[in-house]
Amino acid sequence: MMIFCYLQEKDVFEKYYKQHLAKRLLSGKTVSDDAERSLIVKLKTACGYQYTSKLEGMFTDMKTSQDTMQGFCSSHPELTDGPTLVVQVLTTGSWPTQPSITCHLPFEMSALCEKFRSYYLGIHTGRRLSWQTNMGTADIKAIFGKGQKHELNVSTYQMCILMLFNNADRLSYKEIEQVTAIPASDLKRCLQSMACVKGKNVLRKEPMSKDIGEDDSFFVNEKFASKFYKVKVGTVVAQKESEPEKQETRQRVEEDRKPQIEAAVVRIMKSRKVLDHNNIIAEVTKQLQSRFLANPTEIKKRIESLIEREFLERDNSDRKMYRYLA
């Protein structure tokens, strides 16, 4: 927390912290909920309620989801025999924004998802559910050559791929892409993780290479063996954030700053009624310095926007003076 206090762009820290917290919560990798909550309390003390409200909302969603799943299982006792489904219902505004890309789930899972949708919308009117299949995980029981049994922990995308081999011995890359509708970049990473990583290669590919090509074909690795019954098959990911991802994060931060700057300007002008340009810049910068260092150029743009929307007006005799319009 001592280092945090010296950060000038605390809103950028919040963006990255929220992304990592979301991954920990959804994958069940939090070492301790108490430790996570303790840090959030410290952040709230340092930056105020608004800074941590979305982080606290993420924990609320996790608890609410547990209660929702208990209700769903109680209302569908017949589901205990087949595949099981665990759903985390995430409030759109609280969690990091994700592109809503849905792949074609296996029939067994899509039927379960529809049952959950009907149950959830039946008890919550006016809400809309969209599946974030790119954020899910699955546990699959698999039998390899010589009857060797394993439980594979995979992503939802990887589950969709593996389930295809229940009805086919060999599949081409294009066939998998067409049936699953998984985005090409994610599909290549998933196949690379399952066919090219030593010790996790539950699939084999032809021709053998480290990269996935559109002319490759895949089949189950009957010789797969592991000393562990449970095997976690990860997904190959970039070790660090790419330049376009950095720019996208920065752009989202800049968009989030606009309403905060406007709110600060309105608060100041509402109390002062009349103020010159330089003093507005100074006071807005002072008000927002606990979250970020406001750019004077951006403050000027937000003032112009407020004038256009008739929150403020320029003084007729002095163009550097602004008046608040009630």
Short mmCIF file of all heavy atoms in Angstrom, two decimals, residues 249-300:
data_model
loop_
_atom_site.label_atom_id
_atom_site.label_comp_id
_atom_site.label_asym_id
_atom_site.label_seq_id
_atom_site.Cartn_x
_atom_site.Cartn_y
_atom_site.Cartn_z
N THR A 249 -6.54 -1.01 -23.34
CA THR A 249 -6.70 -0.73 -21.91
C THR A 249 -6.60 0.77 -21.65
O THR A 249 -7.41 1.34 -20.92
CB THR A 249 -5.62 -1.47 -21.08
OG1 THR A 249 -5.72 -2.87 -21.33
CG2 THR A 249 -5.81 -1.21 -19.60
N ARG A 250 -5.60 1.41 -22.28
CA ARG A 250 -5.43 2.85 -22.11
C ARG A 250 -6.64 3.61 -22.62
O ARG A 250 -7.10 4.56 -22.00
CB ARG A 250 -4.15 3.29 -22.84
CG ARG A 250 -3.93 4.79 -22.95
CD ARG A 250 -3.93 5.49 -21.63
NE ARG A 250 -2.81 5.13 -20.80
CZ ARG A 250 -2.54 5.71 -19.62
NH1 ARG A 250 -3.33 6.66 -19.16
NH2 ARG A 250 -1.51 5.31 -18.90
N GLN A 251 -7.20 3.17 -23.74
CA GLN A 251 -8.36 3.83 -24.32
C GLN A 251 -9.57 3.72 -23.39
O GLN A 251 -10.32 4.69 -23.21
CB GLN A 251 -8.69 3.19 -25.68
CG GLN A 251 -9.70 4.00 -26.50
CD GLN A 251 -9.87 3.42 -27.91
OE1 GLN A 251 -9.24 2.43 -28.27
NE2 GLN A 251 -10.74 4.04 -28.68
N ARG A 252 -9.75 2.53 -22.78
CA ARG A 252 -10.86 2.35 -21.84
C ARG A 252 -10.69 3.25 -20.62
O ARG A 252 -11.65 3.82 -20.11
CB ARG A 252 -10.96 0.89 -21.40
CG ARG A 252 -11.51 -0.04 -22.47
CD ARG A 252 -12.12 -1.29 -21.84
NE ARG A 252 -11.15 -2.04 -21.07
CZ ARG A 252 -10.43 -3.05 -21.54
NH1 ARG A 252 -10.57 -3.42 -22.81
NH2 ARG A 252 -9.58 -3.69 -20.77
N VAL A 253 -9.44 3.39 -20.16
CA VAL A 253 -9.16 4.27 -19.02
C VAL A 253 -9.51 5.71 -19.37
O VAL A 253 -10.16 6.42 -18.58
CB VAL A 253 -7.68 4.16 -18.59
CG1 VAL A 253 -7.31 5.26 -17.61
CG2 VAL A 253 -7.39 2.79 -17.97
N GLU A 254 -9.09 6.16 -20.55
CA GLU A 254 -9.38 7.53 -20.98
C GLU A 254 -10.88 7.79 -21.08
O GLU A 254 -11.37 8.86 -20.71
CB GLU A 254 -8.71 7.82 -22.34
CG GLU A 254 -7.18 7.77 -22.33
CD GLU A 254 -6.56 8.86 -21.47
OE1 GLU A 254 -7.26 9.86 -21.18
OE2 GLU A 254 -5.39 8.71 -21.09
N GLU A 255 -11.64 6.79 -21.58
CA GLU A 255 -13.10 6.93 -21.68
C GLU A 255 -13.73 7.03 -20.30
O GLU A 255 -14.67 7.80 -20.09
CB GLU A 255 -13.70 5.75 -22.46
CG GLU A 255 -13.45 5.81 -23.96
CD GLU A 255 -14.08 7.03 -24.61
OE1 GLU A 255 -15.23 7.37 -24.28
OE2 GLU A 255 -13.40 7.66 -25.45
N ASP A 256 -13.23 6.23 -19.35
CA ASP A 256 -13.76 6.26 -17.99
C ASP A 256 -13.46 7.58 -17.28
O ASP A 256 -14.19 7.97 -16.36
CB ASP A 256 -13.18 5.10 -17.16
CG ASP A 256 -13.74 3.75 -17.60
OD1 ASP A 256 -14.75 3.73 -18.34
OD2 ASP A 256 -13.15 2.71 -17.21
N ARG A 257 -12.39 8.25 -17.70
CA ARG A 257 -12.02 9.50 -17.04
C ARG A 257 -12.94 10.66 -17.43
O ARG A 257 -13.13 11.59 -16.64
CB ARG A 257 -10.57 9.86 -17.40
CG ARG A 257 -9.54 9.01 -16.71
CD ARG A 257 -8.12 9.39 -17.11
NE ARG A 257 -7.13 8.60 -16.39
CZ ARG A 257 -5.82 8.73 -16.54
NH1 ARG A 257 -5.34 9.60 -17.41
NH2 ARG A 257 -4.99 7.98 -15.83
N LYS A 258 -13.50 10.60 -18.62
CA LYS A 258 -14.30 11.73 -19.12
C LYS A 258 -15.45 12.10 -18.18
O LYS A 258 -15.58 13.27 -17.79
CB LYS A 258 -14.82 11.42 -20.53
CG LYS A 258 -13.73 11.45 -21.58
CD LYS A 258 -14.27 11.10 -22.97
CE LYS A 258 -13.16 11.09 -24.01
NZ LYS A 258 -13.68 10.73 -25.35
N PRO A 259 -16.33 11.16 -17.79
CA PRO A 259 -17.42 11.54 -16.88
C PRO A 259 -16.93 11.99 -15.52
O PRO A 259 -17.58 12.83 -14.87
CB PRO A 259 -18.27 10.26 -16.77
CG PRO A 259 -17.38 9.15 -17.21
CD PRO A 259 -16.44 9.74 -18.20
N GLN A 260 -15.78 11.47 -15.06
CA GLN A 260 -15.24 11.90 -13.76
C GLN A 260 -14.78 13.35 -13.82
O GLN A 260 -15.00 14.11 -12.87
CB GLN A 260 -14.07 11.00 -13.36
CG GLN A 260 -14.47 9.55 -13.10
CD GLN A 260 -13.29 8.70 -12.69
OE1 GLN A 260 -12.65 8.95 -11.68
NE2 GLN A 260 -12.99 7.67 -13.47
N ILE A 261 -14.14 13.72 -14.94
CA ILE A 261 -13.69 15.12 -15.10
C ILE A 261 -14.91 16.04 -15.18
O ILE A 261 -14.95 17.10 -14.53
CB ILE A 261 -12.81 15.27 -16.36
CG1 ILE A 261 -11.50 14.50 -16.18
CG2 ILE A 261 -12.53 16.74 -16.65
CD1 ILE A 261 -10.64 14.42 -17.43
N GLU A 262 -15.91 15.64 -15.95
CA GLU A 262 -17.12 16.46 -16.09
C GLU A 262 -17.83 16.63 -14.75
O GLU A 262 -18.30 17.72 -14.42
CB GLU A 262 -18.07 15.84 -17.12
CG GLU A 262 -17.55 15.95 -18.55
CD GLU A 262 -18.52 15.37 -19.56
OE1 GLU A 262 -19.55 14.80 -19.15
OE2 GLU A 262 -18.26 15.48 -20.77
N ALA A 263 -17.92 15.54 -13.98
CA ALA A 263 -18.58 15.62 -12.67
C ALA A 263 -17.84 16.57 -11.75
O ALA A 263 -18.47 17.35 -11.01
CB ALA A 263 -18.65 14.22 -12.04
N ALA A 264 -16.49 16.54 -11.80
CA ALA A 264 -15.69 17.45 -10.96
C ALA A 264 -15.92 18.91 -11.36
O ALA A 264 -16.08 19.79 -10.50
CB ALA A 264 -14.21 17.09 -11.08
N VAL A 265 -15.96 19.18 -12.67
CA VAL A 265 -16.21 20.54 -13.16
C VAL A 265 -17.57 21.03 -12.68
O VAL A 265 -17.71 22.17 -12.18
CB VAL A 265 -16.13 20.60 -14.70
CG1 VAL A 265 -16.58 21.98 -15.20
CG2 VAL A 265 -14.71 20.31 -15.18
N VAL A 266 -18.60 20.20 -12.82
CA VAL A 266 -19.95 20.60 -12.42
C VAL A 266 -20.02 20.86 -10.92
O VAL A 266 -20.64 21.83 -10.47
CB VAL A 266 -20.98 19.51 -12.84
CG1 VAL A 266 -22.35 19.80 -12.21
CG2 VAL A 266 -21.11 19.47 -14.35
N ARG A 267 -19.38 19.99 -10.11
CA ARG A 267 -19.38 20.19 -8.65
C ARG A 267 -18.75 21.53 -8.28
O ARG A 267 -19.28 22.28 -7.46
CB ARG A 267 -18.61 19.06 -7.95
CG ARG A 267 -19.38 17.77 -7.80
CD ARG A 267 -18.70 16.86 -6.77
NE ARG A 267 -17.34 16.54 -7.14
CZ ARG A 267 -16.99 15.48 -7.89
NH1 ARG A 267 -17.93 14.68 -8.36
NH2 ARG A 267 -15.73 15.24 -8.17
N ILE A 268 -17.62 21.81 -8.92
CA ILE A 268 -16.90 23.06 -8.62
C ILE A 268 -17.74 24.27 -9.04
O ILE A 268 -17.90 25.23 -8.27
CB ILE A 268 -15.52 23.08 -9.34
CG1 ILE A 268 -14.61 22.02 -8.72
CG2 ILE A 268 -14.88 24.46 -9.26
CD1 ILE A 268 -13.40 21.67 -9.58
N MET A 269 -18.28 24.25 -10.24
CA MET A 269 -19.04 25.40 -10.74
C MET A 269 -20.37 25.59 -10.00
O MET A 269 -20.87 26.70 -9.86
CB MET A 269 -19.29 25.23 -12.25
CG MET A 269 -18.04 25.33 -13.09
SD MET A 269 -17.15 26.90 -12.85
CE MET A 269 -18.37 28.08 -13.43
N LYS A 270 -20.94 24.49 -9.54
CA LYS A 270 -22.20 24.58 -8.79
C LYS A 270 -21.99 25.33 -7.48
O LYS A 270 -22.86 26.08 -7.03
CB LYS A 270 -22.72 23.18 -8.50
CG LYS A 270 -24.19 23.14 -8.09
CD LYS A 270 -24.70 21.71 -8.03
CE LYS A 270 -26.18 21.68 -7.71
NZ LYS A 270 -26.70 20.28 -7.66
N SER A 271 -20.81 25.14 -6.88
CA SER A 271 -20.53 25.83 -5.61
C SER A 271 -19.97 27.23 -5.81
O SER A 271 -20.23 28.13 -5.02
CB SER A 271 -19.55 25.00 -4.77
OG SER A 271 -18.31 24.87 -5.44
N ARG A 272 -19.22 27.43 -6.91
CA ARG A 272 -18.57 28.74 -7.13
C ARG A 272 -19.36 29.67 -8.04
O ARG A 272 -19.11 30.88 -8.06
CB ARG A 272 -17.17 28.52 -7.72
CG ARG A 272 -16.26 27.63 -6.86
CD ARG A 272 -15.80 28.34 -5.59
NE ARG A 272 -14.86 29.39 -5.91
CZ ARG A 272 -13.55 29.19 -6.06
NH1 ARG A 272 -13.05 27.97 -5.92
NH2 ARG A 272 -12.75 30.18 -6.35
N LYS A 273 -20.26 29.11 -8.86
CA LYS A 273 -21.12 29.87 -9.80
C LYS A 273 -20.34 30.50 -10.95
O LYS A 273 -20.69 30.32 -12.11
CB LYS A 273 -21.93 30.96 -9.06
CG LYS A 273 -22.78 30.45 -7.92
CD LYS A 273 -23.77 29.40 -8.38
CE LYS A 273 -24.64 28.90 -7.22
NZ LYS A 273 -25.49 27.76 -7.60
N VAL A 274 -19.28 31.28 -10.62
CA VAL A 274 -18.46 31.92 -11.67
C VAL A 274 -16.99 31.65 -11.36
O VAL A 274 -16.56 31.80 -10.23
CB VAL A 274 -18.70 33.45 -11.73
CG1 VAL A 274 -17.82 34.09 -12.81
CG2 VAL A 274 -20.17 33.76 -11.97
N LEU A 275 -16.24 31.23 -12.40
CA LEU A 275 -14.83 30.93 -12.18
C LEU A 275 -14.07 31.05 -13.48
O LEU A 275 -14.61 30.77 -14.56
CB LEU A 275 -14.69 29.50 -11.62
CG LEU A 275 -13.39 29.16 -10.85
CD1 LEU A 275 -13.25 30.04 -9.61
CD2 LEU A 275 -13.40 27.69 -10.44
N ASP A 276 -12.79 31.47 -13.39
CA ASP A 276 -11.99 31.60 -14.61
C ASP A 276 -11.35 30.26 -14.98
O ASP A 276 -11.29 29.33 -14.17
CB ASP A 276 -10.90 32.67 -14.44
CG ASP A 276 -9.86 32.28 -13.41
OD1 ASP A 276 -10.11 32.48 -12.20
OD2 ASP A 276 -8.82 31.73 -13.80
N HIS A 277 -10.87 30.17 -16.20
CA HIS A 277 -10.38 28.91 -16.77
C HIS A 277 -9.24 28.30 -15.96
O HIS A 277 -9.27 27.10 -15.64
CB HIS A 277 -9.92 29.17 -18.22
CG HIS A 277 -9.44 27.92 -18.91
ND1 HIS A 277 -10.29 26.99 -19.45
CD2 HIS A 277 -8.17 27.45 -19.11
CE1 HIS A 277 -9.58 26.00 -19.97
NE2 HIS A 277 -8.30 26.25 -19.79
N ASN A 278 -8.25 29.10 -15.61
CA ASN A 278 -7.07 28.57 -14.91
C ASN A 278 -7.43 27.99 -13.55
O ASN A 278 -6.89 26.96 -13.12
CB ASN A 278 -6.00 29.65 -14.75
CG ASN A 278 -5.35 29.98 -16.08
OD1 ASN A 278 -5.40 29.19 -17.03
ND2 ASN A 278 -4.74 31.16 -16.18
N ASN A 279 -8.35 28.64 -12.85
CA ASN A 279 -8.75 28.14 -11.53
C ASN A 279 -9.57 26.85 -11.63
O ASN A 279 -9.46 25.98 -10.76
CB ASN A 279 -9.56 29.21 -10.78
CG ASN A 279 -8.64 30.20 -10.07
OD1 ASN A 279 -7.62 29.82 -9.51
ND2 ASN A 279 -9.00 31.48 -10.10
N ILE A 280 -10.38 26.74 -12.69
CA ILE A 280 -11.11 25.48 -12.89
C ILE A 280 -10.12 24.34 -13.10
O ILE A 280 -10.24 23.27 -12.51
CB ILE A 280 -12.07 25.57 -14.10
CG1 ILE A 280 -13.27 26.45 -13.78
CG2 ILE A 280 -12.57 24.18 -14.48
CD1 ILE A 280 -14.29 26.54 -14.90
N ILE A 281 -9.11 24.56 -13.97
CA ILE A 281 -8.09 23.54 -14.24
C ILE A 281 -7.42 23.13 -12.94
O ILE A 281 -7.25 21.93 -12.66
CB ILE A 281 -7.03 24.06 -15.24
CG1 ILE A 281 -7.66 24.41 -16.59
CG2 ILE A 281 -5.91 23.03 -15.41
CD1 ILE A 281 -8.18 23.25 -17.39
N ALA A 282 -7.03 24.12 -12.12
CA ALA A 282 -6.32 23.85 -10.87
C ALA A 282 -7.19 23.06 -9.89
O ALA A 282 -6.73 22.09 -9.27
CB ALA A 282 -5.86 25.15 -10.23
N GLU A 283 -8.46 23.44 -9.77
CA GLU A 283 -9.34 22.79 -8.80
C GLU A 283 -9.74 21.38 -9.24
O GLU A 283 -9.84 20.46 -8.42
CB GLU A 283 -10.59 23.65 -8.54
CG GLU A 283 -10.27 24.95 -7.82
CD GLU A 283 -11.46 25.49 -7.03
OE1 GLU A 283 -12.31 24.68 -6.62
OE2 GLU A 283 -11.54 26.71 -6.84
N VAL A 284 -9.97 21.20 -10.54
CA VAL A 284 -10.30 19.86 -11.05
C VAL A 284 -9.11 18.92 -10.83
O VAL A 284 -9.28 17.78 -10.39
CB VAL A 284 -10.69 19.91 -12.54
CG1 VAL A 284 -10.74 18.50 -13.13
CG2 VAL A 284 -12.03 20.61 -12.73
N THR A 285 -7.91 19.40 -11.15
CA THR A 285 -6.70 18.60 -10.95
C THR A 285 -6.55 18.20 -9.49
O THR A 285 -6.23 17.04 -9.18
CB THR A 285 -5.45 19.38 -11.41
OG1 THR A 285 -5.62 19.78 -12.78
CG2 THR A 285 -4.20 18.54 -11.28
N LYS A 286 -6.82 19.14 -8.58
CA LYS A 286 -6.70 18.87 -7.15
C LYS A 286 -7.73 17.84 -6.69
O LYS A 286 -7.42 16.93 -5.92
CB LYS A 286 -6.88 20.18 -6.37
CG LYS A 286 -6.65 20.03 -4.87
CD LYS A 286 -6.81 21.38 -4.17
CE LYS A 286 -6.62 21.23 -2.66
NZ LYS A 286 -6.79 22.52 -1.96
N GLN A 287 -8.99 17.98 -7.19
CA GLN A 287 -10.06 17.05 -6.79
C GLN A 287 -9.79 15.62 -7.24
O GLN A 287 -10.12 14.66 -6.56
CB GLN A 287 -11.41 17.51 -7.34
CG GLN A 287 -12.13 18.47 -6.42
CD GLN A 287 -13.62 18.55 -6.75
OE1 GLN A 287 -14.18 17.66 -7.38
NE2 GLN A 287 -14.27 19.62 -6.31
N LEU A 288 -9.19 15.48 -8.43
CA LEU A 288 -9.03 14.15 -9.03
C LEU A 288 -7.66 13.52 -8.79
O LEU A 288 -7.43 12.38 -9.20
CB LEU A 288 -9.28 14.23 -10.54
CG LEU A 288 -10.70 14.65 -10.95
CD1 LEU A 288 -10.78 14.80 -12.47
CD2 LEU A 288 -11.73 13.64 -10.47
N GLN A 289 -6.77 14.22 -8.10
CA GLN A 289 -5.40 13.71 -7.97
C GLN A 289 -5.32 12.43 -7.15
O GLN A 289 -4.34 11.68 -7.24
CB GLN A 289 -4.49 14.78 -7.37
CG GLN A 289 -4.81 15.15 -5.93
CD GLN A 289 -3.91 16.28 -5.43
OE1 GLN A 289 -3.06 16.77 -6.17
NE2 GLN A 289 -4.10 16.68 -4.19
N SER A 290 -6.35 12.13 -6.35
CA SER A 290 -6.34 10.88 -5.59
C SER A 290 -6.55 9.67 -6.51
O SER A 290 -6.23 8.53 -6.14
CB SER A 290 -7.43 10.88 -4.52
OG SER A 290 -8.71 10.95 -5.11
N ARG A 291 -7.09 9.90 -7.73
CA ARG A 291 -7.31 8.80 -8.69
C ARG A 291 -6.36 8.86 -9.88
O ARG A 291 -5.83 7.85 -10.30
CB ARG A 291 -8.76 8.84 -9.21
CG ARG A 291 -9.76 8.27 -8.24
CD ARG A 291 -11.14 8.21 -8.85
NE ARG A 291 -11.22 7.28 -9.97
CZ ARG A 291 -11.48 5.99 -9.85
NH1 ARG A 291 -11.66 5.46 -8.66
NH2 ARG A 291 -11.55 5.21 -10.91
N PHE A 292 -6.18 10.06 -10.44
CA PHE A 292 -5.27 10.20 -11.57
C PHE A 292 -4.90 11.67 -11.76
O PHE A 292 -5.54 12.56 -11.21
CB PHE A 292 -5.90 9.64 -12.86
CG PHE A 292 -7.20 10.32 -13.26
CD1 PHE A 292 -7.20 11.44 -14.09
CD2 PHE A 292 -8.42 9.83 -12.82
CE1 PHE A 292 -8.39 12.05 -14.46
CE2 PHE A 292 -9.61 10.43 -13.19
CZ PHE A 292 -9.59 11.54 -14.00
N LEU A 293 -3.84 11.90 -12.55
CA LEU A 293 -3.39 13.25 -12.85
C LEU A 293 -4.10 13.71 -14.12
O LEU A 293 -3.78 13.25 -15.22
CB LEU A 293 -1.87 13.28 -13.03
CG LEU A 293 -1.20 14.65 -13.03
CD1 LEU A 293 -1.40 15.36 -11.70
CD2 LEU A 293 0.29 14.50 -13.33
N ALA A 294 -5.08 14.59 -13.96
CA ALA A 294 -5.91 15.01 -15.10
C ALA A 294 -5.11 15.86 -16.07
O ALA A 294 -4.35 16.75 -15.68
CB ALA A 294 -7.13 15.79 -14.60
N ASN A 295 -5.29 15.58 -17.37
CA ASN A 295 -4.61 16.33 -18.42
C ASN A 295 -5.37 17.64 -18.68
O ASN A 295 -6.58 17.61 -18.96
CB ASN A 295 -4.60 15.47 -19.69
CG ASN A 295 -3.78 16.09 -20.80
OD1 ASN A 295 -3.68 17.31 -20.90
ND2 ASN A 295 -3.20 15.26 -21.64
N PRO A 296 -4.70 18.81 -18.59
CA PRO A 296 -5.39 20.09 -18.81
C PRO A 296 -6.11 20.16 -20.15
O PRO A 296 -7.19 20.75 -20.25
CB PRO A 296 -4.25 21.12 -18.73
CG PRO A 296 -3.21 20.47 -17.89
CD PRO A 296 -3.29 19.01 -18.20
N THR A 297 -5.53 19.55 -21.19
CA THR A 297 -6.17 19.56 -22.51
C THR A 297 -7.50 18.81 -22.46
O THR A 297 -8.50 19.24 -23.04
CB THR A 297 -5.24 18.89 -23.55
OG1 THR A 297 -3.99 19.55 -23.55
CG2 THR A 297 -5.85 18.98 -24.94
N GLU A 298 -7.51 17.67 -21.75
CA GLU A 298 -8.75 16.89 -21.64
C GLU A 298 -9.79 17.63 -20.80
O GLU A 298 -10.99 17.58 -21.10
CB GLU A 298 -8.45 15.51 -21.02
CG GLU A 298 -9.61 14.55 -21.03
CD GLU A 298 -10.17 14.28 -22.42
OE1 GLU A 298 -9.38 14.13 -23.38
OE2 GLU A 298 -11.41 14.24 -22.55
N ILE A 299 -9.33 18.34 -19.76
CA ILE A 299 -10.26 19.13 -18.93
C ILE A 299 -10.93 20.20 -19.80
O ILE A 299 -12.14 20.42 -19.73
CB ILE A 299 -9.53 19.79 -17.74
CG1 ILE A 299 -8.95 18.72 -16.81
CG2 ILE A 299 -10.49 20.70 -16.96
CD1 ILE A 299 -8.08 19.28 -15.69
N LYS A 300 -10.12 20.85 -20.67
CA LYS A 300 -10.66 21.88 -21.56
C LYS A 300 -11.72 21.28 -22.49
O LYS A 300 -12.77 21.89 -22.74
CB LYS A 300 -9.52 22.50 -22.37
CG LYS A 300 -9.98 23.67 -23.25
CD LYS A 300 -8.81 24.28 -24.00
CE LYS A 300 -9.30 25.43 -24.88
NZ LYS A 300 -8.19 26.03 -25.67
#
